[in-house]
Amino acid sequence: MAEMHVSVITPDGTIFDHREKAVNAQTTYGGITIMPGHMPIIVPLAIGELRVTRITESDDSENYIAVSGGIMEVEADQINIIANTAERSRDIDLDRAENAKKEAEASMIRARDAKNKIEFNRARVALAKAVNRIGVSEKRL
Ligand code: ATP
């Protein structure tokens, strides 16, 4: 069976390193699916979900990872994802993400009222990261 190898690397270390047969990622241009034999590419990733279809002893299984932007490099059936932060669904602290969401929403309101564009955009990114973590955490296996 054709297979690839995927590594997700963050400043905290390698958080995922497995054989797989498909990866679905959110690039800044939209969703992309990488199958074995894909041409070499380097693409920027958006804040979003990474879905990996793994090859296990018994069966195929899906793993979900929350990525807060980064770069994906595909080269000869090796996929490297380099991100500032990335968490497997099982490692996401849901309470923390929900608190981060509430704080980001409150910051957006404060920044809007103060007409502070920079702070508004910062809070909007924080909100996107929190919402992504909540969504991915709901898919924990
Ligand atoms: P918070 O607002 O909750 O402090 P943050 O968005 O500021 O979160 P980041 O700067 O994105 O946090 O990440 C800092 C570190 O914390 C990274 O290692 C990231 O993987 C981890 N992290 C952030 N949020 C969570 C979460 N909800 N569950 C698990 N790890 C998290």
Side-chain angles (χ1 to χ4, degrees), residues 10 12 66 68 84-88 91-101 103 122 125-126 129-130 133-134:
T10 75
D12 293 336
S68 61
N84 250 330
T85 72
E87 304 90 33
R88 291 183 69 155
D91 296 326
I92 293 173
D93 178 337
L94 185 55
D95 287 345
R96 177 175 169 181
E98 278 170 350
N99 278 334
K101 176 172 178 283
E103 276 176 30
R122 194 204 62 75
V125 171
K129 284 161 60 176
R133 283 173 174 139
I134 292 166

Side-chain angles (χ1 to χ4, degrees), residues 104-121 123:
E105 286 166 340
S107 294
M108 282 177 78
I109 291 167
R110 277 197 306 275
R112 185 200 58 197
D113 293 348
K115 298 195 183 342
N116 185 337
K117 230 176 185 176
I118 292 172
E119 188 53 31
F120 184 84
N121 285 333

